[in-house]
Structures are given as structure tokens and as C-alpha cells.
Amino acid sequence: MNNKDHFVPRFYLKNWCIDGFLQCSRIDRNPDDLIWKPFATKGVGYKRGLYQEQEGIFYKPLDTACSRFVAELLNDRKFEGISQHNIGEENHELWAKFVLAQIVRIPEKIDRSTKQYKHVSDELVREAIVKASVNENAVSDLRKMVWVVGELKSKYELITGDNPVIFSPNNLLNPECFVLFPLSPKHFFLATYPDNIKKFPSDADEMVKCINRMIYSNSHSRVFARDPSLIVGVIERT
């Protein structure tokens, strides 16, 4: 039997857990009438045999390394508000690779590639996806952006989903490009160019709404929350 390959890493989803469970809802309903059910992280965000050999070669080691980095980042007592954060050279490259890999590691994109290159073995396609997602140029382009880590002092909470990285427009060299990634119900990562930062809301409640709308629209079938009562009225269709 194929192993469960988690395209939304379990260490990441644990940031939305209370007593080992997060709340999950399908998005084929009105966003104000979602039905939430509790799940352990092992029961969501996976597809069996999705990465084949690349799970052990690339994704598992990357997730393990990033789990330590994210835990340290969110537990940093010096961290407040929205600020550029000095995470060190090694972590800077590690996080760039993780974010870029997360953009393309979802089943829909992998399945699309395997169908497009059906004359090539699935394993070679998966290997090519890994190499393309973390090639030196892409990593360098992402690292040239301004990186911001934000803690939102809001009465609302951030959601995440089964396609949790917002990448728009889909070109790191576009001057309007931004990469946005919720890190927890209260934290987010943003990479963009300096002139774009002012385009995002400065009010914490409005920023939560802005991020949640994008995450909801970007998700394929499921969204995740820590406490659904704290996101009522926040999610809106774009």
C-alpha cells in the first residue's frame, strides 16, 4: 500500500490544532455556512503515493528541517507586530526552498504535469518538479524580495487550506508579485517588493479578512481553522 504523502505538511497544520485536532470544512458550500469537523493532522492534506521516491529524498527532509525553523520563529519572544525579520542565511535559503516547493507540491499540479508528460515515467516527472521548484534562479528571485513576518493582534483568526501559498501573479520577477503564506491562526509570511507592502491593509482585522479571502479562493476542496467561531463573517468569496 502506498504511504500517505502529506502535501500540506503535518507540522504546519499542527499550528491550527487544539488538543491534537484542527477543524476542517469542504468549500463546496456558502462560505458563511461551512460545516466544520475535527480531524487529526494525519487525516487531512494527504494523497497516497503522491511523491513516490521524492517523499524520502526531498519532501520529508525539507519538512523536518522547516518544522524546527517555524517552531523557533513563532516562539521568538522578540517577535511583535509586522516586521522584517532577520532569520539568518541558512534559514533564509531553507525557507525559500520550502515555500517554492509548497507552491507546486499539491496533487492538482503534480497530476497536471504527469498528464502533460505522459510519455515520461511518473518518477522522472516528480523529480523534474522538485528540481524546477527549487532551482537556483527561483530561490534567488524569492530571496531578493522583502520578507515580512506578521503577528496579527486581531479578534479574528487566519484559516489555511489545501493550497496554502498565495502566489500572485505567477512570476517572481513581476514587480507586483507577492507570496503570502499563513503560518498560524495569528501569524503570516509575506514576500514581495517594497512598493507592494503598502497595498496590504495596515489594520489587523482587515488583514485577517484579506488573507482569509485569498486562502478560501485559492483552496481546491478544503479549508482548515483552529476555532470556527473566530472566523464567522471573515471568509468571503472574491
Side-chain angles (χ1 to χ4, degrees), residues 96 100 132-144 172:
L100 290 169
S133 66
V134 295
N135 73 77
E136 291 185 6
N137 289 337
V139 171
S140 175
D141 291 340
L142 180 59
R143 295 185 67 190
K144 289 175 183 176
L172 290 169

Side-chain angles (χ1 to χ4, degrees), residues 34-224:
L34 298 177
I35 296 177
W36 297 93
K37 296 181 180 179
F39 281 87
T41 58
K42 66 181 180 181
V44 294
Y46 73 88
K47 183 177 180 180
R48 292 191 181 276
L50 179 63
Y51 305 131
Q52 300 180 7
E53 292 183 5
Q54 294 303 316
E55 170 67 10
I57 295 172
F58 178 75
Y59 291 107
K60 188 173 182 179
L62 181 65
D63 290 351
T64 298
C66 278
S67 68
R68 293 190 290 266
F69 163 65
V70 172
E72 292 171 1
L73 179 64
L74 298 185
N75 290 329
D76 187 344
R77 297 186 177 212
K78 299 178 182 178
F79 180 79
E80 288 184 0
I82 298 175
S83 61
Q84 289 183 245
H85 208 65
N86 182 9
I87 62 175
E89 177 71 16
E90 183 177 350
N91 283 332
H92 204 269
E93 182 170 354
L94 172 70
W95 185 244
K97 290 181 177 179
F98 178 81
V99 172
L100 290 169
Q102 185 61 53
I103 292 172
V104 298
R105 69 188 288 183
I106 60 173
E108 290 78 7
K109 291 184 179 179
I110 290 179
D111 290 346
R112 189 182 310 137
S113 294
T114 55
K115 290 178 182 177
Q116 182 178 358
Y117 300 102
K118 56 186 178 182
H119 58 287
V120 180
S121 72
D122 287 355
E123 181 54 39
L124 286 178
V125 171
R126 282 160 171 76
E127 183 180 350
I129 290 171
V130 166
K131 290 180 178 179
S133 66
V134 295
N135 73 77
E136 291 185 6
N137 289 337
V139 171
S140 175
D141 291 340
L142 180 59
R143 295 185 67 190
K144 289 175 183 176
M145 292 179 168
V146 174
W147 286 17
V148 172
V149 179
E151 181 178 21
L152 294 166
K153 305 290 188 180
S154 171
K155 58 189 175 185
Y156 301 123
E157 290 192 345
L158 296 173
I159 61 171
T160 190
D162 56 12
N163 187 21
V165 179
I166 309 299
F167 177 31
S168 178
N170 191 15
N171 179 354
L172 290 169
L173 297 179
N174 188 307
E176 296 187 354
C177 180
F178 68 91
V179 178
L180 196 150
F181 190 15
L183 300 178
S184 82
K186 294 294 184 182
H187 301 85
F188 68 91
F189 166 79
L190 171 67
T192 190
Y193 295 101
D195 290 345
N196 292 333
I197 294 178
K198 61 180 180 293
K199 297 178 182 179
F200 291 88
S202 57
D203 178 78
D205 289 353
E206 291 303 315
M207 188 61 171
V208 172
K209 294 178 183 180
C210 174
I211 295 173
N212 282 350
R213 285 195 294 267
M214 288 190 285
I215 289 294
Y216 186 86
S217 296
N218 205 51
S219 297
H220 290 285
S221 63
R222 287 173 173 80
V223 290
F224 310 109

